Amino acid sequence: ILNVEQSPQSLHVQEGDSTNFTCSFPSSNFYALHWYRWETAKSPEALFVMTLNGDEKKKGRISATLNTKEGYSYLYIKGSQPEDSATYLCAFQGGSEKLVFGKGTKLTVNP
Amino acid sequence: DVKVTQSSRYLVKRTGEKVFLECVQDMDHENMFWYRQDPGLGLRLIYFSYDVKMKEKGDIPEGYSVSREKKERFSLILESASTNQTSMYLCASRPSPGQYYEQYFGPGTRLTVT
């Protein structure tokens, strides 16, 4: 079974702080790297699907980078808001339709 | 908007019962997936299907089976429910195999087996 690691496991920040998390994945047989946000009592929602080494994607205050050669991706949140509180999941897609998910980073933003 | 629906949000069943969890998507997606989510373990793939009547085992298929008779519907079956199958079950769908598409998730079914 492939190993996808996310760190930290949880994070508490103050409103207005900027923060980032890491996703590590196998550097071989790479197809795509997915990021999802999962708010309590809701369904996980896609943030980004990243495919190319060096890729950078942005959605509002959230951005992500990808390094497929060394097998990591960073997710950045600028100026965190309480509504950013959620669990952030990354998922590795190799040469098949299956996604292998990390255990997630739980972010709590305190007002 | 893509919609993935699951038949129940909460379900309580007894040990040994046969349990059906239903998932329906309305966007003509080829791929459908069943996951379970447990604290500290993340989302783990039970089964997936890339076409009608086609299925593949995921990482934890033991104790489960699936059915996909129509493209929009993917059912997860617990043949004889056990307490270690108490979990949150999430269904997801994604279009066209081989493309860089995101997954769309249902709201989840929290199953308790007593």
Side-chain angles (χ1 to χ4, degrees), chain B residues 11-45:
Chain B
L11 208 52
V12 179
K13 295 292 181 180
R14 293 196 175 168
T15 302
E17 279 192 79
K18 191 168 186 174
V19 181
F20 293 85
L21 302 182
E22 305 285 344
C23 176
V24 178
Q25 49 94 4
D26 65 358
M27 284 301 289
D28 204 37
H29 288 172
E30 285 78 8
N31 294 315
M32 294 188 76
F33 306 83
W34 275 106
Y35 296 90
R36 63 179 281 178
Q37 198 267 340
D38 300 288
L41 294 177
L43 278 173
R44 294 181 292 166
L45 181 66

Side-chain angles (χ1 to χ4, degrees), chain B residues 6-108:
Chain B
Q6 295 182 228
S7 47
S8 307
R9 291 301 299 270
Y10 300 94
L11 208 52
V12 179
K13 295 292 181 180
R14 293 196 175 168
T15 302
E17 279 192 79
K18 191 168 186 174
V19 181
F20 293 85
L21 302 182
E22 305 285 344
C23 176
V24 178
Q25 49 94 4
D26 65 358
M27 284 301 289
D28 204 37
H29 288 172
E30 285 78 8
N31 294 315
M32 294 188 76
F33 306 83
W34 275 106
Y35 296 90
R36 63 179 281 178
Q37 198 267 340
D38 300 288
L41 294 177
L43 278 173
R44 294 181 292 166
L45 181 66
I46 304 170
Y47 266 98
F48 73 101
S49 168
Y50 49 91
D51 203 349
V52 175
K53 297 192 189 294
M54 307 301 284
K55 61 187 179 187
E56 278 198 32
K57 292 180 181 179
D59 299 319
I60 50 165
E62 297 78 19
Y64 303 95
S65 62
V66 289
S67 171
R68 192 156 179 214
E69 296 296 319
K70 293 185 177 181
K71 193 174 186 180
E72 66 270 20
R73 187 179 296 269
F74 191 35
S75 303
L76 180 70
I77 303 154
L78 286 66
E79 298 291 343
S80 176
S82 64
T83 54
N84 63 12
Q85 293 177 309
T86 291
S87 187
M88 168 70 89
Y89 290 87
L90 281 165
C91 175
S93 72
R94 192 165 83 237
S96 302
Q99 301 296 317
Y100 302 120
Y101 289 119
E102 66 203 59
Q103 277 187 187
Y104 295 85
F105 286 88

Side-chain angles (χ1 to χ4, degrees), chain A residues 1 9 31-32 34 36 38 41-46 49 51 89 93 96-103, chain B residues 9 31 33 35 37 40-43 45 48 57 59 90 94 97-103 105-107:
Chain A
I1 296 178
Q9 192 173 355
Y31 194 73
H34 299 233
Y36 292 84
W38 193 0
K42 294 187 177 180
S43 310
E45 288 186 345
V49 180
T51 58
L89 300 170
Q93 185 177 0
S96 77
E97 298 307 310
K98 295 195 293 187
L99 300 188
V100 179
F101 282 84
K103 293 178 183 177
Chain B
R9 291 301 299 270
N31 294 315
F33 306 83
Y35 296 90
Q37 198 267 340
L41 294 177
L43 278 173
L45 181 66
F48 73 101
K57 292 180 181 179
D59 299 319
L90 281 165
R94 192 165 83 237
Q99 301 296 317
Y100 302 120
Y101 289 119
E102 66 203 59
Q103 277 187 187
F105 286 88

Side-chain angles (χ1 to χ4, degrees), chain A residues 11 13 66 69 92 110-111:
Chain A
L11 197 53
V13 301
L66 179 67
K69 293 189 189 315
F92 170 82
N110 300 308

